[in-house]
PDB file of all heavy atoms in Angstrom:
ATOM      1  N   ARG A 304     -49.999  -2.005  -5.086  1.00 96.00           N
ATOM      2  CA  ARG A 304     -48.873  -2.548  -5.842  1.00 96.00           C
ATOM      3  C   ARG A 304     -49.169  -2.649  -7.338  1.00 96.00           C
ATOM      4  O   ARG A 304     -48.291  -2.415  -8.164  1.00 96.00           O
ATOM      5  CB  ARG A 304     -48.498  -3.918  -5.296  1.00 96.00           C
ATOM      6  CG  ARG A 304     -47.413  -4.599  -6.107  1.00 96.00           C
ATOM      7  CD  ARG A 304     -46.794  -5.668  -5.321  1.00 96.00           C
ATOM      8  NE  ARG A 304     -45.639  -5.034  -4.695  1.00 96.00           N
ATOM      9  CZ  ARG A 304     -44.778  -5.632  -3.927  1.00 96.00           C
ATOM     10  NH1 ARG A 304     -44.937  -6.882  -3.635  1.00 96.00           N
ATOM     11  NH2 ARG A 304     -43.760  -5.002  -3.426  1.00 96.00           N
ATOM     12  N   ASN A 305     -50.384  -2.972  -7.711  1.00 92.00           N
ATOM     13  CA  ASN A 305     -50.745  -3.092  -9.130  1.00 92.00           C
ATOM     14  C   ASN A 305     -51.689  -1.989  -9.580  1.00 92.00           C
ATOM     15  O   ASN A 305     -52.275  -2.065 -10.648  1.00 92.00           O
ATOM     16  CB  ASN A 305     -51.364  -4.465  -9.404  1.00 92.00           C
ATOM     17  CG  ASN A 305     -50.347  -5.572  -9.214  1.00 92.00           C
ATOM     18  OD1 ASN A 305     -49.209  -5.463  -9.655  1.00 92.00           O
ATOM     19  ND2 ASN A 305     -50.748  -6.622  -8.528  1.00 92.00           N
ATOM     20  N   ALA A 306     -51.833  -0.965  -8.752  1.00 96.00           N
ATOM     21  CA  ALA A 306     -52.658   0.195  -9.109  1.00 96.00           C
ATOM     22  C   ALA A 306     -51.729   1.301  -9.601  1.00 96.00           C
ATOM     23  O   ALA A 306     -50.530   1.265  -9.370  1.00 96.00           O
ATOM     24  CB  ALA A 306     -53.446   0.670  -7.889  1.00 96.00           C
ATOM     25  N   SER A 307     -52.294   2.262 -10.278  1.00 96.00           N
ATOM     26  CA  SER A 307     -51.465   3.376 -10.744  1.00 96.00           C
ATOM     27  C   SER A 307     -52.056   4.685 -10.242  1.00 96.00           C
ATOM     28  O   SER A 307     -53.261   4.799 -10.022  1.00 96.00           O
ATOM     29  CB  SER A 307     -51.368   3.377 -12.266  1.00 96.00           C
ATOM     30  OG  SER A 307     -52.640   3.578 -12.848  1.00 96.00           O
ATOM     31  N   GLY A 308     -51.165   5.644 -10.057  1.00 96.00           N
ATOM     32  CA  GLY A 308     -51.611   6.960  -9.626  1.00 96.00           C
ATOM     33  C   GLY A 308     -50.433   7.881  -9.409  1.00 96.00           C
ATOM     34  O   GLY A 308     -49.315   7.431  -9.134  1.00 96.00           O
ATOM     35  N   PHE A 309     -50.685   9.156  -9.564  1.00 96.00           N
ATOM     36  CA  PHE A 309     -49.645  10.136  -9.275  1.00 96.00           C
ATOM     37  C   PHE A 309     -49.388  10.132  -7.773  1.00 96.00           C
ATOM     38  O   PHE A 309     -50.240   9.752  -6.969  1.00 96.00           O
ATOM     39  CB  PHE A 309     -50.066  11.526  -9.759  1.00 96.00           C
ATOM     40  CG  PHE A 309     -50.071  11.643 -11.252  1.00 96.00           C
ATOM     41  CD1 PHE A 309     -51.264  11.697 -11.954  1.00 96.00           C
ATOM     42  CD2 PHE A 309     -48.875  11.687 -11.960  1.00 96.00           C
ATOM     43  CE1 PHE A 309     -51.274  11.796 -13.334  1.00 96.00           C
ATOM     44  CE2 PHE A 309     -48.866  11.788 -13.343  1.00 96.00           C
ATOM     45  CZ  PHE A 309     -50.073  11.842 -14.034  1.00 96.00           C
ATOM     46  N   HIS A 310     -48.208  10.559  -7.375  1.00 97.00           N
ATOM     47  CA  HIS A 310     -47.811  10.532  -5.968  1.00 97.00           C
ATOM     48  C   HIS A 310     -48.803  11.280  -5.085  1.00 97.00           C
ATOM     49  O   HIS A 310     -49.180  10.801  -4.009  1.00 97.00           O
ATOM     50  CB  HIS A 310     -46.425  11.147  -5.783  1.00 97.00           C
ATOM     51  CG  HIS A 310     -45.332  10.452  -6.525  1.00 97.00           C
ATOM     52  ND1 HIS A 310     -45.381   9.132  -6.901  1.00 97.00           N
ATOM     53  CD2 HIS A 310     -44.131  10.904  -6.945  1.00 97.00           C
ATOM     54  CE1 HIS A 310     -44.262   8.800  -7.531  1.00 97.00           C
ATOM     55  NE2 HIS A 310     -43.493   9.868  -7.574  1.00 97.00           N
ATOM     56  N   GLU A 311     -49.214  12.442  -5.523  1.00 97.00           N
ATOM     57  CA  GLU A 311     -50.142  13.257  -4.736  1.00 97.00           C
ATOM     58  C   GLU A 311     -51.476  12.541  -4.549  1.00 97.00           C
ATOM     59  O   GLU A 311     -52.028  12.485  -3.446  1.00 97.00           O
ATOM     60  CB  GLU A 311     -50.363  14.618  -5.417  1.00 97.00           C
ATOM     61  CG  GLU A 311     -49.110  15.465  -5.561  1.00 97.00           C
ATOM     62  CD  GLU A 311     -48.261  15.147  -6.796  1.00 97.00           C
ATOM     63  OE1 GLU A 311     -48.512  14.146  -7.503  1.00 97.00           O
ATOM     64  OE2 GLU A 311     -47.315  15.924  -7.057  1.00 97.00           O
ATOM     65  N   ASP A 312     -52.003  11.985  -5.619  1.00 97.00           N
ATOM     66  CA  ASP A 312     -53.287  11.287  -5.574  1.00 97.00           C
ATOM     67  C   ASP A 312     -53.214  10.063  -4.665  1.00 97.00           C
ATOM     68  O   ASP A 312     -54.087   9.853  -3.815  1.00 97.00           O
ATOM     69  CB  ASP A 312     -53.692  10.881  -6.987  1.00 97.00           C
ATOM     70  CG  ASP A 312     -55.052  10.207  -7.049  1.00 97.00           C
ATOM     71  OD1 ASP A 312     -55.986  10.676  -6.371  1.00 97.00           O
ATOM     72  OD2 ASP A 312     -55.179   9.202  -7.785  1.00 97.00           O
ATOM     73  N   THR A 313     -52.181   9.281  -4.828  1.00 98.00           N
ATOM     74  CA  THR A 313     -52.027   8.070  -4.026  1.00 98.00           C
ATOM     75  C   THR A 313     -51.893   8.399  -2.547  1.00 98.00           C
ATOM     76  O   THR A 313     -52.543   7.775  -1.697  1.00 98.00           O
ATOM     77  CB  THR A 313     -50.803   7.264  -4.519  1.00 98.00           C
ATOM     78  OG1 THR A 313     -51.015   6.904  -5.894  1.00 98.00           O
ATOM     79  CG2 THR A 313     -50.597   6.013  -3.699  1.00 98.00           C
ATOM     80  N   SER A 314     -51.073   9.385  -2.212  1.00 98.00           N
ATOM     81  CA  SER A 314     -50.857   9.759  -0.808  1.00 98.00           C
ATOM     82  C   SER A 314     -52.161  10.198  -0.147  1.00 98.00           C
ATOM     83  O   SER A 314     -52.467   9.783   0.986  1.00 98.00           O
ATOM     84  CB  SER A 314     -49.821  10.886  -0.714  1.00 98.00           C
ATOM     85  OG  SER A 314     -48.579  10.481  -1.238  1.00 98.00           O
ATOM     86  N   LEU A 315     -52.933  11.026  -0.838  1.00 98.00           N
ATOM     87  CA  LEU A 315     -54.189  11.498  -0.258  1.00 98.00           C
ATOM     88  C   LEU A 315     -55.259  10.406  -0.217  1.00 98.00           C
ATOM     89  O   LEU A 315     -56.071  10.372   0.709  1.00 98.00           O
ATOM     90  CB  LEU A 315     -54.694  12.741  -0.987  1.00 98.00           C
ATOM     91  CG  LEU A 315     -54.163  14.039  -0.370  1.00 98.00           C
ATOM     92  CD1 LEU A 315     -52.680  14.203  -0.519  1.00 98.00           C
ATOM     93  CD2 LEU A 315     -54.909  15.225  -0.875  1.00 98.00           C
ATOM     94  N   LYS A 316     -55.267   9.512  -1.186  1.00 98.00           N
ATOM     95  CA  LYS A 316     -56.216   8.391  -1.142  1.00 98.00           C
ATOM     96  C   LYS A 316     -55.985   7.553   0.110  1.00 98.00           C
ATOM     97  O   LYS A 316     -56.936   7.126   0.763  1.00 98.00           O
ATOM     98  CB  LYS A 316     -56.072   7.501  -2.379  1.00 98.00           C
ATOM     99  CG  LYS A 316     -56.797   8.012  -3.589  1.00 98.00           C
ATOM    100  CD  LYS A 316     -56.647   7.043  -4.744  1.00 98.00           C
ATOM    101  CE  LYS A 316     -57.394   7.562  -5.962  1.00 98.00           C
ATOM    102  NZ  LYS A 316     -57.180   6.694  -7.142  1.00 98.00           N
ATOM    103  N   ILE A 317     -54.736   7.327   0.447  1.00 98.00           N
ATOM    104  CA  ILE A 317     -54.414   6.538   1.636  1.00 98.00           C
ATOM    105  C   ILE A 317     -54.931   7.253   2.884  1.00 98.00           C
ATOM    106  O   ILE A 317     -55.639   6.666   3.703  1.00 98.00           O
ATOM    107  CB  ILE A 317     -52.898   6.268   1.715  1.00 98.00           C
ATOM    108  CG1 ILE A 317     -52.496   5.302   0.598  1.00 98.00           C
ATOM    109  CG2 ILE A 317     -52.505   5.739   3.103  1.00 98.00           C
ATOM    110  CD1 ILE A 317     -51.001   5.162   0.394  1.00 98.00           C
ATOM    111  N   GLY A 318     -54.586   8.520   3.025  1.00 98.00           N
ATOM    112  CA  GLY A 318     -55.010   9.275   4.202  1.00 98.00           C
ATOM    113  C   GLY A 318     -56.520   9.384   4.333  1.00 98.00           C
ATOM    114  O   GLY A 318     -57.074   9.175   5.420  1.00 98.00           O
ATOM    115  N   LYS A 319     -57.190   9.672   3.241  1.00 98.00           N
ATOM    116  CA  LYS A 319     -58.645   9.853   3.296  1.00 98.00           C
ATOM    117  C   LYS A 319     -59.389   8.548   3.556  1.00 98.00           C
ATOM    118  O   LYS A 319     -60.425   8.556   4.224  1.00 98.00           O
ATOM    119  CB  LYS A 319     -59.134  10.525   2.012  1.00 98.00           C
ATOM    120  CG  LYS A 319     -58.718  11.986   1.944  1.00 98.00           C
ATOM    121  CD  LYS A 319     -59.179  12.659   0.675  1.00 98.00           C
ATOM    122  CE  LYS A 319     -58.795  14.133   0.678  1.00 98.00           C
ATOM    123  NZ  LYS A 319     -59.331  14.833  -0.506  1.00 98.00           N
ATOM    124  N   ARG A 320     -58.853   7.419   3.068  1.00 98.00           N
ATOM    125  CA  ARG A 320     -59.488   6.115   3.361  1.00 98.00           C
ATOM    126  C   ARG A 320     -59.378   5.780   4.838  1.00 98.00           C
ATOM    127  O   ARG A 320     -60.320   5.288   5.452  1.00 98.00           O
ATOM    128  CB  ARG A 320     -58.855   4.998   2.541  1.00 98.00           C
ATOM    129  CG  ARG A 320     -59.437   4.755   1.179  1.00 98.00           C
ATOM    130  CD  ARG A 320     -60.846   4.175   1.166  1.00 98.00           C
ATOM    131  NE  ARG A 320     -60.970   2.830   1.691  1.00 98.00           N
ATOM    132  CZ  ARG A 320     -60.675   1.719   1.034  1.00 98.00           C
ATOM    133  NH1 ARG A 320     -60.239   1.762  -0.220  1.00 98.00           N
ATOM    134  NH2 ARG A 320     -60.824   0.537   1.612  1.00 98.00           N
ATOM    135  N   ILE A 321     -58.207   6.037   5.421  1.00 98.00           N
ATOM    136  CA  ILE A 321     -58.038   5.772   6.850  1.00 98.00           C
ATOM    137  C   ILE A 321     -58.959   6.691   7.646  1.00 98.00           C
ATOM    138  O   ILE A 321     -59.642   6.260   8.577  1.00 98.00           O
ATOM    139  CB  ILE A 321     -56.573   5.947   7.276  1.00 98.00           C
ATOM    140  CG1 ILE A 321     -55.684   4.906   6.571  1.00 98.00           C
ATOM    141  CG2 ILE A 321     -56.433   5.845   8.804  1.00 98.00           C
ATOM    142  CD1 ILE A 321     -54.204   5.166   6.701  1.00 98.00           C
ATOM    143  N   GLN A 322     -58.992   7.962   7.269  1.00 98.00           N
ATOM    144  CA  GLN A 322     -59.857   8.928   7.957  1.00 98.00           C
ATOM    145  C   GLN A 322     -61.318   8.485   7.888  1.00 98.00           C
ATOM    146  O   GLN A 322     -62.040   8.526   8.887  1.00 98.00           O
ATOM    147  CB  GLN A 322     -59.693  10.316   7.337  1.00 98.00           C
ATOM    148  CG  GLN A 322     -60.545  11.370   8.010  1.00 98.00           C
ATOM    149  CD  GLN A 322     -60.458  12.704   7.293  1.00 98.00           C
ATOM    150  OE1 GLN A 322     -60.514  12.759   6.073  1.00 98.00           O
ATOM    151  NE2 GLN A 322     -60.316  13.773   8.062  1.00 98.00           N
ATOM    152  N   GLN A 323     -61.742   8.047   6.739  1.00 98.00           N
ATOM    153  CA  GLN A 323     -63.127   7.589   6.555  1.00 98.00           C
ATOM    154  C   GLN A 323     -63.426   6.364   7.417  1.00 98.00           C
ATOM    155  O   GLN A 323     -64.505   6.245   7.997  1.00 98.00           O
ATOM    156  CB  GLN A 323     -63.361   7.266   5.080  1.00 98.00           C
ATOM    157  CG  GLN A 323     -64.739   6.756   4.763  1.00 98.00           C
ATOM    158  CD  GLN A 323     -64.860   6.347   3.295  1.00 98.00           C
ATOM    159  OE1 GLN A 323     -63.886   6.009   2.634  1.00 98.00           O
ATOM    160  NE2 GLN A 323     -66.076   6.396   2.790  1.00 98.00           N
ATOM    161  N   ALA A 324     -62.457   5.461   7.530  1.00 97.00           N
ATOM    162  CA  ALA A 324     -62.675   4.210   8.260  1.00 97.00           C
ATOM    163  C   ALA A 324     -62.755   4.398   9.767  1.00 97.00           C
ATOM    164  O   ALA A 324     -63.544   3.729  10.435  1.00 97.00           O
ATOM    165  CB  ALA A 324     -61.566   3.204   7.922  1.00 97.00           C
ATOM    166  N   ILE A 325     -61.926   5.307  10.324  1.00 98.00           N
ATOM    167  CA  ILE A 325     -61.871   5.393  11.794  1.00 98.00           C
ATOM    168  C   ILE A 325     -62.228   6.760  12.367  1.00 98.00           C
ATOM    169  O   ILE A 325     -62.358   6.887  13.577  1.00 98.00           O
ATOM    170  CB  ILE A 325     -60.484   4.964  12.322  1.00 98.00           C
ATOM    171  CG1 ILE A 325     -59.383   5.914  11.823  1.00 98.00           C
ATOM    172  CG2 ILE A 325     -60.205   3.511  11.977  1.00 98.00           C
ATOM    173  CD1 ILE A 325     -58.060   5.737  12.528  1.00 98.00           C
ATOM    174  N   LYS A 326     -62.341   7.768  11.526  1.00 98.00           N
ATOM    175  CA  LYS A 326     -62.702   9.116  11.986  1.00 98.00           C
ATOM    176  C   LYS A 326     -61.858   9.554  13.199  1.00 98.00           C
ATOM    177  O   LYS A 326     -62.384   9.811  14.280  1.00 98.00           O
ATOM    178  CB  LYS A 326     -64.186   9.207  12.286  1.00 98.00           C
ATOM    179  CG  LYS A 326     -65.028   8.975  11.042  1.00 98.00           C
ATOM    180  CD  LYS A 326     -66.490   8.853  11.344  1.00 98.00           C
ATOM    181  CE  LYS A 326     -67.322   8.581  10.125  1.00 98.00           C
ATOM    182  NZ  LYS A 326     -66.886   7.557   9.214  1.00 98.00           N
ATOM    183  N   PRO A 327     -60.531   9.631  13.011  1.00 98.00           N
ATOM    184  CA  PRO A 327     -59.656  10.003  14.125  1.00 98.00           C
ATOM    185  C   PRO A 327     -59.788  11.480  14.480  1.00 98.00           C
ATOM    186  O   PRO A 327     -60.289  12.279  13.685  1.00 98.00           O
ATOM    187  CB  PRO A 327     -58.257   9.707  13.578  1.00 98.00           C
ATOM    188  CG  PRO A 327     -58.393   9.940  12.105  1.00 98.00           C
ATOM    189  CD  PRO A 327     -59.790   9.454  11.770  1.00 98.00           C
ATOM    190  N   LYS A 328     -59.298  11.827  15.658  1.00 98.00           N
ATOM    191  CA  LYS A 328     -59.267  13.232  16.065  1.00 98.00           C
ATOM    192  C   LYS A 328     -58.286  14.001  15.187  1.00 98.00           C
ATOM    193  O   LYS A 328     -58.497  15.172  14.877  1.00 98.00           O
ATOM    194  CB  LYS A 328     -58.830  13.341  17.530  1.00 98.00           C
ATOM    195  CG  LYS A 328     -59.810  12.709  18.494  1.00 98.00           C
ATOM    196  CD  LYS A 328     -59.268  12.717  19.910  1.00 98.00           C
ATOM    197  CE  LYS A 328     -60.221  11.986  20.844  1.00 98.00           C
ATOM    198  NZ  LYS A 328     -59.676  11.918  22.219  1.00 98.00           N
ATOM    199  N   PHE A 329     -57.210  13.334  14.804  1.00 98.00           N
ATOM    200  CA  PHE A 329     -56.145  13.944  13.995  1.00 98.00           C
ATOM    201  C   PHE A 329     -55.501  12.841  13.171  1.00 98.00           C
ATOM    202  O   PHE A 329     -55.367  11.713  13.638  1.00 98.00           O
ATOM    203  CB  PHE A 329     -55.088  14.575  14.915  1.00 98.00           C
ATOM    204  CG  PHE A 329     -53.835  15.001  14.209  1.00 98.00           C
ATOM    205  CD1 PHE A 329     -53.770  16.232  13.567  1.00 98.00           C
ATOM    206  CD2 PHE A 329     -52.713  14.184  14.192  1.00 98.00           C
ATOM    207  CE1 PHE A 329     -52.609  16.631  12.919  1.00 98.00           C
ATOM    208  CE2 PHE A 329     -51.545  14.582  13.537  1.00 98.00           C
ATOM    209  CZ  PHE A 329     -51.504  15.800  12.911  1.00 98.00           C
ATOM    210  N   ILE A 330     -55.118  13.177  11.950  1.00 98.00           N
ATOM    211  CA  ILE A 330     -54.363  12.248  11.110  1.00 98.00           C
ATOM    212  C   ILE A 330     -53.367  13.032  10.271  1.00 98.00           C
ATOM    213  O   ILE A 330     -53.664  14.137   9.812  1.00 98.00           O
ATOM    214  CB  ILE A 330     -55.278  11.381  10.215  1.00 98.00           C
ATOM    215  CG1 ILE A 330     -54.441  10.353   9.423  1.00 98.00           C
ATOM    216  CG2 ILE A 330     -56.136  12.230   9.309  1.00 98.00           C
ATOM    217  CD1 ILE A 330     -55.271   9.291   8.720  1.00 98.00           C
ATOM    218  N   ARG A 331     -52.165  12.453  10.133  1.00 98.00           N
ATOM    219  CA  ARG A 331     -51.133  13.037   9.255  1.00 98.00           C
ATOM    220  C   ARG A 331     -50.536  11.897   8.446  1.00 98.00           C
ATOM    221  O   ARG A 331     -50.178  10.860   8.998  1.00 98.00           O
ATOM    222  CB  ARG A 331     -50.039  13.708  10.074  1.00 98.00           C
ATOM    223  CG  ARG A 331     -48.870  14.194   9.202  1.00 98.00           C
ATOM    224  CD  ARG A 331     -47.781  14.875  10.002  1.00 98.00           C
ATOM    225  NE  ARG A 331     -46.999  13.890  10.748  1.00 98.00           N
ATOM    226  CZ  ARG A 331     -45.955  14.213  11.510  1.00 98.00           C
ATOM    227  NH1 ARG A 331     -45.591  15.472  11.666  1.00 98.00           N
ATOM    228  NH2 ARG A 331     -45.288  13.279  12.154  1.00 98.00           N
ATOM    229  N   VAL A 332     -50.447  12.110   7.142  1.00 98.00           N
ATOM    230  CA  VAL A 332     -49.812  11.149   6.251  1.00 98.00           C
ATOM    231  C   VAL A 332     -48.641  11.844   5.577  1.00 98.00           C
ATOM    232  O   VAL A 332     -48.804  12.917   4.991  1.00 98.00           O
ATOM    233  CB  VAL A 332     -50.811  10.631   5.186  1.00 98.00           C
ATOM    234  CG1 VAL A 332     -50.105   9.754   4.171  1.00 98.00           C
ATOM    235  CG2 VAL A 332     -51.951   9.880   5.856  1.00 98.00           C
ATOM    236  N   ALA A 333     -47.476  11.223   5.690  1.00 98.00           N
ATOM    237  CA  ALA A 333     -46.269  11.734   5.040  1.00 98.00           C
ATOM    238  C   ALA A 333     -45.807  10.680   4.054  1.00 98.00           C
ATOM    239  O   ALA A 333     -45.472   9.565   4.453  1.00 98.00           O
ATOM    240  CB  ALA A 333     -45.184  12.031   6.076  1.00 98.00           C
ATOM    241  N   GLY A 334     -45.821  11.035   2.772  1.00 97.00           N
ATOM    242  CA  GLY A 334     -45.365  10.124   1.725  1.00 97.00           C
ATOM    243  C   GLY A 334     -44.060  10.640   1.148  1.00 97.00           C
ATOM    244  O   GLY A 334     -44.034  11.703   0.527  1.00 97.00           O
ATOM    245  N   TYR A 335     -42.998   9.912   1.383  1.00 96.00           N
ATOM    246  CA  TYR A 335     -41.674  10.271   0.866  1.00 96.00           C
ATOM    247  C   TYR A 335     -41.400   9.388  -0.344  1.00 96.00           C
ATOM    248  O   TYR A 335     -41.066   8.214  -0.200  1.00 96.00           O
ATOM    249  CB  TYR A 335     -40.604  10.051   1.934  1.00 96.00           C
ATOM    250  CG  TYR A 335     -40.767  10.931   3.142  1.00 96.00           C
ATOM    251  CD1 TYR A 335     -41.516  10.514   4.231  1.00 96.00           C
ATOM    252  CD2 TYR A 335     -40.169  12.192   3.191  1.00 96.00           C
ATOM    253  CE1 TYR A 335     -41.661  11.324   5.352  1.00 96.00           C
ATOM    254  CE2 TYR A 335     -40.316  13.013   4.300  1.00 96.00           C
ATOM    255  CZ  TYR A 335     -41.058  12.560   5.374  1.00 96.00           C
ATOM    256  OH  TYR A 335     -41.207  13.361   6.484  1.00 96.00           O
ATOM    257  N   TRP A 336     -41.552   9.970  -1.515  1.00 95.00           N
ATOM    258  CA  TRP A 336     -41.436   9.225  -2.758  1.00 95.00           C
ATOM    259  C   TRP A 336     -40.010   9.302  -3.291  1.00 95.00           C
ATOM    260  O   TRP A 336     -39.399  10.362  -3.301  1.00 95.00           O
ATOM    261  CB  TRP A 336     -42.417   9.778  -3.791  1.00 95.00           C
ATOM    262  CG  TRP A 336     -43.830   9.538  -3.391  1.00 95.00           C
ATOM    263  CD1 TRP A 336     -44.602  10.308  -2.562  1.00 95.00           C
ATOM    264  CD2 TRP A 336     -44.644   8.442  -3.771  1.00 95.00           C
ATOM    265  NE1 TRP A 336     -45.840   9.759  -2.409  1.00 95.00           N
ATOM    266  CE2 TRP A 336     -45.904   8.608  -3.146  1.00 95.00           C
ATOM    267  CE3 TRP A 336     -44.444   7.330  -4.583  1.00 95.00           C
ATOM    268  CZ2 TRP A 336     -46.939   7.701  -3.323  1.00 95.00           C
ATOM    269  CZ3 TRP A 336     -45.478   6.429  -4.761  1.00 95.00           C
ATOM    270  CH2 TRP A 336     -46.712   6.633  -4.128  1.00 95.00           C
ATOM    271  N   TYR A 337     -39.533   8.173  -3.754  1.00 93.00           N
ATOM    272  CA  TYR A 337     -38.198   8.124  -4.342  1.00 93.00           C
ATOM    273  C   TYR A 337     -38.245   8.780  -5.718  1.00 93.00           C
ATOM    274  O   TYR A 337     -39.323   8.927  -6.304  1.00 93.00           O
ATOM    275  CB  TYR A 337     -37.722   6.672  -4.394  1.00 93.00           C
ATOM    276  CG  TYR A 337     -37.372   6.177  -3.006  1.00 93.00           C
ATOM    277  CD1 TYR A 337     -38.359   5.696  -2.151  1.00 93.00           C
ATOM    278  CD2 TYR A 337     -36.068   6.229  -2.542  1.00 93.00           C
ATOM    279  CE1 TYR A 337     -38.045   5.276  -0.866  1.00 93.00           C
ATOM    280  CE2 TYR A 337     -35.743   5.811  -1.262  1.00 93.00           C
ATOM    281  CZ  TYR A 337     -36.738   5.330  -0.435  1.00 93.00           C
ATOM    282  OH  TYR A 337     -36.437   4.924   0.837  1.00 93.00           O
ATOM    283  N   PRO A 338     -37.095   9.211  -6.230  1.00 90.00           N
ATOM    284  CA  PRO A 338     -37.091  10.012  -7.461  1.00 90.00           C
ATOM    285  C   PRO A 338     -37.792   9.363  -8.646  1.00 90.00           C
ATOM    286  O   PRO A 338     -37.676   8.170  -8.885  1.00 90.00           O
ATOM    287  CB  PRO A 338     -35.607  10.189  -7.769  1.00 90.00           C
ATOM    288  CG  PRO A 338     -34.935  10.053  -6.461  1.00 90.00           C
ATOM    289  CD  PRO A 338     -35.745   9.037  -5.706  1.00 90.00           C
ATOM    290  N   ARG A 339     -38.526  10.207  -9.345  1.00 81.00           N
ATOM    291  CA  ARG A 339     -39.094   9.882 -10.652  1.00 81.00           C
ATOM    292  C   ARG A 339     -38.596  11.001 -11.546  1.00 81.00           C
ATOM    293  O   ARG A 339     -38.824  12.170 -11.243  1.00 81.00           O
ATOM    294  CB  ARG A 339     -40.609   9.873 -10.609  1.00 81.00           C
ATOM    295  CG  ARG A 339     -41.217   9.564 -11.979  1.00 81.00           C
ATOM    296  CD  ARG A 339     -42.682   9.867 -12.062  1.00 81.00           C
ATOM    297  NE  ARG A 339     -43.490   8.892 -11.320  1.00 81.00           N
ATOM    298  CZ  ARG A 339     -44.782   9.054 -11.100  1.00 81.00           C
ATOM    299  NH1 ARG A 339     -45.392  10.139 -11.528  1.00 81.00           N
ATOM    300  NH2 ARG A 339     -45.460   8.153 -10.449  1.00 81.00           N
TER     301      ARG A 339
END
Side-chain angles (χ1 to χ4, degrees):
R304 175 162 266 182
N305 294 316
S307 63
F309 289 107
H310 300 335
E311 299 84 351
D312 183 42
T313 300
S314 299
L315 270 66
K316 278 182 180 175
I317 291 169
K319 289 179 177 185
R320 272 291 294 280
I321 296 168
Q322 181 185 44
Q323 179 185 25
I325 63 168
K326 297 171 182 47
K328 296 174 184 177
F329 169 84
I330 184 169
R331 174 179 74 178
V332 174
Y335 296 91
W336 294 85
Y337 287 83
R339 179 194 287 171

